[in-house]
Amino acid sequence: MLKKDLGWDAYFEAIWADGKMEECVPARVVSQQRGLWRVAGEFEACWAEPSGKFRKESEEGGDWPAVGDWVAVEMRPEKQSALIQRVLPRRSRFVRKVAGKQIAEQVIVANIDVALIVAALDGDFNVRRVERYLAQCWESGARPVVVLNKADACADASELAAQIEGIAKGVPVLLVSAKTGEGLEALEAHFKKGQTIVLLGSSGVGKSSLVNRLLQEERQSTFAVRESDSRGRHTTTSRDLFLLPNGTMLIDTPGLRELQLWNAGEGLAQTFADVDELASKCRFTDCQHVNEPGCAVQEALASGKLDANRLESWRKLQREQEFLERKVDSEIGAAHNKRIKILMRQVRQNYRDRDKGKN
Ligand code: GDP
Ligand code: ZN
């Protein structure tokens, strides 16, 4: 398959020309499962793993290859596999804080043009969750589109769509049904050949059903594992890149049970531009927007211009982001102190050795 049909363009060409990777060829990561990556390029799609050198030089986490990444691989034809030597700098990336207590970044997908934030209009509809996705999405560098699925199962679909439009200024909001096909043409109007689109959202919102509809067939990857491939089977827990009939690449991600923000300060500011704008009009620059005189936020609440839930959501996400920043700072601080300690111990040892030498 040609590189350009996988999204390769002048940006990556320039990086490649700069990189001097003679032994390698460019490849795109089209699937990721535990510890295994599937890559496609101008060769038969195959499995790949990071080389020893790459493992040594990169930290597991943000530096690790993700679906959508362009990587430099060394082919190992005798093993029908490839070694990943390098991840090319990403043009965009959707990240989150890894689930659980650990303070680290996880890259969900890389090099995406459009992010479809999928929510379902049945029981589990939640405006605040869409806000959270929007914040991380604005941070990613991809253009967000909100897709409200299961329109067929909801009596007041357009009312809920209006709620989302209220909190997602400038973002297209589409009503669709993967079941009936309603709204899919409007959705496909956002797909351009050569672009990469990702589906994000909780599990159960209908992402797989949408993929099937858009592929016009049962979910079957262009880069699917053949019988002769002994390593690993395709599972629904993996992230996969599909090629749509019109030449758009679509990445499906398994439902994220939680999306904790990661480094989303600017994304938050963009998502809550209306609240930020109000806050900038408060009399005191350090206004907490509780009961200070001249608080523009409280005024907007009183007049109904600002929804109390939205303000609460803003506060919550701000707190989450600030907590994370403090954690990261203190961990960096701790690592720094540890390095200094080791260094000082060495210095003292050197002095002792020198003094011994004198005697
Ligand atoms: P995913 O976890 O996001 O991939 O969600 P699935 O595609 O597996 O769908 C979850 C459930 O919702 C399945 O039972 C689907 O049949 C159902 N579903 C998906 N799309 C629609 C839709 O547009 N309308 C209705 N009524 N049900 C849907
Ligand atoms: Zn205020």
Side-chain angles (χ1 to χ4, degrees), residues 80 225-231:
Q80 290 184 2
V225 180
R226 285 161 297 117
E227 288 300 316
S228 62
D229 259 322
S230 53
R231 302 173 68 190

Side-chain angles (χ1 to χ4, degrees), residues 156-184:
D156 47 3
S158 45
E159 205 267 310
L160 297 181
Q163 278 184 32
I164 297 292
E165 276 160 1
I167 60 120
K169 292 277 152 57
V171 176
V173 177
L174 307 173
L175 279 174
V176 307
S177 165
K179 192 174 174 190
T180 66
E182 174 193 343
L184 288 187

Side-chain angles (χ1 to χ4, degrees), residues 330-347:
S330 74
E331 294 214 346
I332 290 171
H336 179 72
N337 290 343
K338 198 171 151 203
R339 269 202 307 276
I340 300 253
K341 254 184 217 156
I342 293 170
L343 206 68
M344 290 313 288
R345 203 180 297 149
Q346 272 166 4
V347 169

Side-chain angles (χ1 to χ4, degrees), residues 149-153 176-179 202-210:
N149 189 34
K150 307 196 189 182
D152 61 279
V176 307
S177 165
K179 192 174 174 190
S202 315
S203 86
V205 295
K207 295 188 300 299
S208 305
S209 309
L210 281 169

